Amino acid sequence: MRIFVTGASGWIGSAVVPELIDAGHEVVGLARSDASAAALTAAGAEVVRGTVDDLGVLREAAAASDGVVHLAFKHDIAFSGDFKGAAEADRRAVDTIGAALVGTDRPFVIASGVAGLAPGRPSTEQDMPTNDGSPISIRVATAEAVLALASQGVRSSVVRLAPTCHGDGDNGFMATLVATARAKAVSGYVGDGANRWPAVHRLDAAHLFRLAVEKAPAGSVLHGVAEEGVALRDVAEVIGRHLDVPVTSVAPENAAGHFAWLAAFVGIDAPASNRLTRELLAWEPAHPSLLEDLDKGHYFQVSTTTA
């Protein structure tokens, strides 16, 4: 198949592209910069220049494809305070791509998340998030719109990713926890540290996206979760051991001062099941677990490059 991939040079996309190509698919990747275009060309993909705001580019590339994997999101403005703007841009992009695929029975796969789905118990693929009118609910509505395309002749699916999608080169939550522990000279966790984060290796996530493109039924909700939940205290202990710093509880009221922006996430208990996804697509995560990956040491390497 000829697969159009947005966010093709990003953290997940840069693993999805070779996963698709190695399986015999042709990949067309959206690139907004010369560096991204060069990386995609080196990976063996065809390049379409543009951004998620270039709706005409998205429409044309989607219509010319045999399926779409949508991974792009304007993280730069989302993390600088305009999450609503980023989510609204994402919705426009998704609506444009979806309209181009209506009536074709082609796959359309997007990324979403599992955090906050079912407080107090492991969430399942059957749990649906609540649209409460908050900015994050724009993304909830976007996922619902993609699933609704199943009734319009699109083989749509949503891959809900674990908040920790780890691996060598990760600059996300785990890298931030390591950087915080290094800066504070203490590896912290909130309260008793028993709260759990689901986790998945980026290569296992990439494999799931390929399986979704190839065979997920229309309207499928999939959980990109390899581990149901890893206790944050266990994570903190591995970080403390590698950095040779104490491992200490941080009171919830002091979390913002210690963890900065990460405080909104580090105390969340959000375990998630992958049973239905594994049964549906025969997906079997095969790469290192989160704690195994942390123990490999790449999260603790400090660049020695000088200007």
Side-chain angles (χ1 to χ4, degrees):
M1 289 191 289
R2 179 181 172 88
I3 308 299
F4 175 46
V5 181
T6 73
S9 61
W11 174 237
I12 303 298
S14 59
V16 170
V17 168
E19 173 75 24
L20 290 169
I21 290 174
D22 289 348
H25 300 293
E26 179 182 351
V27 173
V28 179
L30 184 70
R32 64 176 181 174
S33 69
D34 291 341
S36 294
L40 288 172
T41 299
E46 182 181 330
V47 175
V48 171
R49 292 300 295 263
T51 74
V52 291
D53 292 321
D54 295 321
L55 302 184
V57 172
L58 298 181
R59 183 181 302 108
E60 183 176 340
S65 74
D66 297 314
V68 179
V69 177
H70 176 57
L71 301 171
F73 190 72
K74 299 171 79 169
H75 291 100
D76 50 350
I77 71 168
F79 289 151
S80 65
D82 189 14
F83 186 92
K84 182 175 183 288
E88 289 174 343
D90 183 57
R91 178 59 185 269
R92 290 191 294 270
V94 163
D95 286 346
T96 298
I97 293 169
L101 298 176
V102 166
T104 65
D105 291 321
R106 297 172 188 167
F108 181 23
V109 187
I110 73 162
S112 185
V114 298
L117 283 174
R121 63 169 175 82
S123 64
T124 76
E125 294 87 340
Q126 295 174 327
D127 287 312
M128 299 305 291
T130 300
N131 190 331
D132 60 7
S134 65
I136 200 167
S137 285
I138 299 172
R139 297 208 79 185
V140 171
T142 297
E144 291 172 345
V146 170
L147 295 175
L149 289 169
S151 65
Q152 300 179 56
V154 181
R155 187 160 60 81
S156 59
S157 60
V158 173
V159 176
R160 294 174 178 165
L161 288 169
T164 302
C165 192
H166 56 89
D168 194 355
D170 175 20
N171 288 312
F173 287 150
M174 284 300 111
T176 303
L177 280 174
V178 171
T180 300
R182 181 177 278 119
K184 300 283 188 179
V186 60
S187 181
Y189 54 87
V190 174
D192 63 5
N195 61 297
R196 299 151 293 173
W197 278 7
V200 64
H201 195 283
R202 70 188 283 260
L203 298 181
D204 286 321
H207 182 53
L208 178 57
F209 275 101
R210 174 169 70 82
L211 293 177
V213 166
E214 292 176 343
K215 59 183 182 179
S220 296
V221 174
L222 308 167
H223 274 192
V225 170
E227 296 176 89
E228 182 173 287
V230 183
L232 265 291
R233 177 167 185 162
D234 293 340
V235 171
E237 288 175 346
V238 175
I239 293 173
R241 173 159 46 82
H242 277 267
L243 294 180
D244 194 23
V245 298
V247 180
T248 305
S249 171
V250 176
E253 61 269 23
N254 297 328
H258 185 89
F259 294 103
W261 66 267
L262 195 59
F265 304 95
V266 76
I268 291 175
D269 185 45
S273 169
N274 66 10
R275 182 179 63 82
L276 297 179
T277 298
R278 293 172 69 169
E279 291 176 354
L280 182 66
L281 299 181
W283 177 58
E284 291 297 333
H287 292 277
S289 69
L290 174 58
L291 298 185
E292 290 170 344
D293 203 14
L294 282 168
D295 257 335
K296 287 179 176 292
H298 54 81
Y299 277 98
F300 307 97
Q301 295 172 359
V302 178
S303 175
T304 58
T305 302
T306 58

